[in-house]
Structures are given as C-alpha cells and as structure tokens.
Amino acid sequence: MKTLLTGGAGYIGSHTAVAMLNAGHEVAVVDNYANSSAEAIARVEKITGKKVALYEADVADKERMMEILKAEMPDCIIHFAGLKAVGESVAKPVEYYRNNIDTTLTLLECMRELGLTSIVFSSSATVYGEDNVPPFTEDAPKGMCTNPYGWTKWMQEQMLTDAAKASAKGDDWKTPLSVVLLRYFNPVGAHESGLMGEDPQGIPNNLMPYISQVAVGRRDHLTVFGDDYDTPDGTCRRDYIHVMDLAEGHVKAAEYVIEKRKEAEARGEAAGGTEVFNLGTGSPYSVLEMVEAFGRACGHAVAYEIGARRAGDVQDSWADASKARAVLGWEASRGIDEICRDAWNWQSNNPQGYNK
Ligand code: NAD
Ligand code: WQD
C-alpha cells in the first residue's frame, strides 16, 4: 500500500512511518517543520533501512499539495498535520483554526479532484468533553470542548464525515470517500531503539515529557496539577498509550479501510463512509502512578510538588478500546513500565531532543 503522512515528521507521524515501513508499506511524508525537523525522518530511515519520500510543504497550500499528491497518488492519506498545544490555542485561536481547518479542507479538495479514496484522521479523546463517564465508547456524545484546539478536532471530524456523506451520492466526487477517525487518548513513550521520541519545543505542556525532562535534569521538579480530585490518590487519571502501539493502530486502520473498499467493490457495492475508533489501552493511571513508574525506569525518584488544579482538566479519561480490538484486530500490548523505559531511553540518549 502507498501511504502519505501529512505531519509525518512529528511525534506520532514519525513513529507511524516506522510501523508502516516495517509492515511492508510505502511511505511519503509532507511536513512544513512547524513543530518538527527532517532529522526525525532520517532516524525513521536508519531504524527501518528503508527510504521515505520526503516533501517540505504546507498542507494548506493547494497548488503544492496537488503536485505532491499527483506524484504520489497514495492509496491512503494519514492526516497528522496540525497544531496541537491546548494552551497556545487559547492564546492564538485564529492561527489554530486557520491551520487545522485549512489543511483538512485542502486535502479534501485535492482528494476530490484526484479521485483519491481514503483518509485516516488524527482526532482526540478531547472531543468527548467532560459530561461523559469513562470508559468512553465511540458513540458517547461529543461534548462541548474547553479550548480552540479541541474545537478544531471536533470540526475536522464533522467536515470529513460530511464530505464522506456527500461523496457517496456522487455529485462532483469521482468515488465515495472512506474516512477513519482515530480518537487518540494520551500518546506517550518512544521507539524502543532510543533514536526517536517526543521533542517538544520550549516548556512541555504534557505530563510525560515534563517528567522526562525533570528526570534528566533539565527541569527542577514537576508540578502535579491538583491532588484533591475524587480519585484514589487525588490526582487525575488518564489512558496513557505507547506511541508504537498507537502507530501500529494506524497500520491496522489503513489496511482495514483499503481491504474493506476492495471487498465492497468485489461485491459490486459502493465503498466509502466514516468509521470511528478509540485508540487507547482501556486502563487508567493517575499522575502520581506515572511519576512512580518513571522513577522505577530511570532509577531515581522524580521530584514533584503539588500545585493547583489546571483549568480545563477533566478528572478522568480513558477508552473503551473494544471496537478497535473487534474490528481492526488491534490492541495495545505495551504497559506503563515499557512506556517509561522507552521514554527514558530516548530522553537520556537525546537530552536536548533532535538536532541538538
Ligand atoms: P506534532 O506537532 O509532533 O506533529 C504534527 C506535525 O504536523 C509536525 O511535524 C508539524 O510540523 C506538522 N504541521 C503542522 N502544521 C502543518 C502544515 N500546515 N503543513 C505541514 N505540516 C504541518 O504532534 P503529534 O503529537 O505528532 O500529533 C499528530 C496529530 O495527532 C495532531 O493532529 C494532533 O492534534 C493529534 N493528536 C495528538 C495527541 C498528542 O497528545 N500528541 C493526542 C490526540 C491527537
Ligand atoms: C495529563 C495529566 C494533568 C502536566 C492533552 C490534551 C488532549 C490530548 C492529549 C491532543 C493531567 C497532569 C500535566 C504537568 C500535571 N492532546 N499534569 N503536571 O491534558 O490529558 O491531554 O494531551 O489531542 O487534547 O488536552 O494530557 O499530558 O497535559 O496531562 O500534573 O506539568 O497530567 O493535570 O491530569 P491531557 P497532559
């Protein structure tokens, strides 16, 4: 299968590139390096011994995307490209809506013009909002988002779903569109080689890179955002998923969507439509449990202080991961000890991340 990964030089995209190449698929990557560098793709090639077709481009640039997509004509696009920092999205909503919405609209226009059939989209558990009680199933109602980043995910899901619906009726679409929405829970960890991992710019927003930087001595201590929640140790609980499990989920989703189209076409039926899958483990861990697990992996305690709650945090979030298991034949196999071991291996071998 030929795949094209937008945002493929980023954290999840680069790990997915490794998983795709290891599964025998071809990979092209389009990235503008807004939050990444080409070094991640050099590491992908080093790990797999295979080549990636790499394009530096803005996915919202239609002329350029038409050229790239015409040259590649991928069987499946995996759309990772986007801005993802929750706090920054509150400060810069216009930039977030412009980038995240425009990239998706551009891809849809190009796919329609070129007759490309299939797209897998990086969505987020953030669309569930705080009114649902975990574990979240895919048909739990989408909630009110607490920040512009979350709304962009919510809106992109809707745009892709509406396009798939319209394409099934023909009109100006050459073929019905197949859309897979993957709702990630909390992606963490790194490739087991220690050559690739998360490389946040500036002060990390997320728990695991923050813990890693404290453990390696780049930061003094972690602030735990609140210990007065209604949970066993008072800290929030999340569904932390190893990034390589997540990457393998993308391989299964892309293979599934292509296979399903082939089967429908063989039966003379219309292919296409939208499917949604949670990618999570189904098992929650608290902030303090993650701090302890990381301490075991790195061999010393990770310093922390208890601070105030962070605005917008939900107390509990974890997946019902049974649909992905039943339909895609995928489930996460790596636990928190492997997550912390691999995150530590990456952080201790690359204390300043890529290129530094
Ligand atoms: P990342 O920032 O590491 O990767 C995103 C990549 O997209 C970067 O390489 C960036 O340079 C690129 N990019 C951004 N705008 C672009 C544009 N206009 N044109 C070309 N490239 C562009 O983030 P990630 O953690 O790998 O996330 C990948 C996707 O998964 C994002 O859409 C994110 O919203 C989504 N997601 C991430 C998480 C998470 O916690 N990491 C959770 C749920 C969903
Ligand atoms: C996890 C837990 C914090 C940092 C975010 C986005 C979500 C999705 C994944 C993209 C929480 C606590 C954190 C710190 C802490 N991204 N924490 N001290 O908030 O579950 O999800 O990333 O789609 O949309 O909101 O992840 O890693 O920020 O926080 O105590 O310095 O760690 O309060 O309980 P979150 P996170």
Side-chain angles (χ1 to χ4, degrees):
M1 173 176 29
K2 281 188 88 164
T3 61
L4 183 136
L5 279 46
T6 74
Y11 172 47
I12 303 170
S14 57
H15 287 80
T16 301
V18 169
M20 279 289 176
L21 290 165
N22 283 343
H25 302 299
E26 287 176 54
V27 172
V29 162
V30 182
D31 207 299
N32 65 358
Y33 308 128
N35 193 37
S36 58
S37 77
E39 178 59 23
I41 299 301
R43 307 263 175 121
V44 169
E45 292 182 333
K46 186 169 178 188
I47 288 168
T48 60
K50 295 183 179 167
K51 292 299 285 179
V52 171
L54 181 58
Y55 299 91
E56 180 171 358
D58 186 331
V59 179
D61 178 345
K62 185 169 175 198
E63 207 178 316
R64 188 84 178 95
M65 286 310 293
M66 282 297 282
E67 277 170 24
I68 294 168
L69 290 168
K70 267 187 203 158
E72 293 291 333
M73 290 302 279
D75 301 301
C76 187
I77 293 174
I78 308 188
H79 183 29
F80 297 102
L83 300 175
K84 65 159 184 179
V86 169
E88 188 183 59
S89 81
V90 176
K92 297 182 171 177
V94 177
E95 283 78 1
Y96 270 67
Y97 285 111
R98 168 67 78 192
N99 191 67
N100 292 2
I101 303 296
D102 260 10
T103 51
T104 302
L105 289 174
T106 301
L107 282 177
L108 283 171
E109 286 180 355
C110 294
M111 292 179 81
R112 182 174 57 185
E113 284 173 43
L114 296 171
L116 294 170
T117 62
S118 305
I119 181 163
V120 173
F121 174 63
S122 299
S123 189
S124 168
T126 200
V127 300
Y128 290 120
E130 53 193 340
D131 296 333
N132 295 301
V133 177
F136 303 144
T137 57
E138 288 82 355
D139 54 11
K142 290 209 268 179
M144 293 294 288
C145 296
T146 53
N147 58 78
Y149 165 74
W151 281 117
T152 69
K153 290 292 163 194
W154 200 101
M155 289 175 192
Q156 288 172 95
E157 282 203 357
Q158 194 62 43
M159 286 159 34
L160 288 158
T161 304
D162 289 342
K165 253 188 232 161
S167 71
K169 299 202 170 70
D171 296 332
D172 44 359
W173 290 83
K174 294 185 175 68
T175 177
L177 182 67
S178 295
V179 169
V180 180
L181 307 175
L182 298 180
R183 293 184 182 148
Y184 313 157
F185 280 69
N186 288 60
V188 286
H191 188 264
E192 63 182 10
S193 62
L195 288 171
M196 289 170 53
E198 191 168 9
D199 182 17
Q201 312 297 306
I203 301 170
N205 301 299
N206 298 111
L207 179 67
M208 283 297 281
Y210 208 107
I211 292 179
S212 307
Q213 292 191 7
V214 173
V216 84
R218 276 176 70 179
R219 305 198 182 271
D220 183 53
H221 68 275
L222 170 79
T223 301
V224 173
F225 297 142
D227 70 345
D228 56 351
Y229 287 95
D230 184 16
T231 62
D233 65 18
T235 65
C236 295
R237 293 179 292 186
R238 296 288 183 273
D239 185 335
Y240 296 96
I241 176 171
H242 194 296
V243 67
M244 286 310 297
D245 278 328
L246 189 66
E248 288 158 12
H250 289 75
V251 176
K252 292 286 189 191
E255 289 175 348
Y256 165 77
V257 79
I258 297 302
E259 195 51 39
K260 203 175 145 201
R261 285 188 76 89
K262 276 196 197 138
E263 286 170 9
E265 279 157 18
R267 290 195 303 269
E269 291 169 9
T274 301
E275 292 213 47
V276 191
F277 296 100
N278 286 334
L279 295 184
T281 66
S283 301
Y285 288 95
S286 74
V287 176
L288 290 179
E289 285 172 324
M290 294 309 286
V291 171
E292 269 168 38
F294 207 97
R296 288 196 296 274
C298 73
H300 61 269
V302 175
Y304 71 87
E305 285 177 3
I306 304 295
R309 289 184 177 199
R310 180 172 69 176
D313 269 343
V314 296
Q315 173 176 296
D316 284 324
S317 167
W318 64 91
D320 178 325
S322 56
K323 185 179 173 198
R325 187 163 57 239
V327 179
L328 303 178
W330 169 89
E331 66 183 325
S333 64
R334 298 158 177 94
I336 54 164
D337 290 324
E338 282 154 299
I339 285 172
C340 294
R341 176 199 67 194
D342 294 340
W344 176 239
N345 193 23
W346 156 251
Q347 188 70 65
S348 52
N349 283 305
N350 306 266
Q352 305 294 327
Y354 292 117
N355 285 340
K356 290 160 210 151

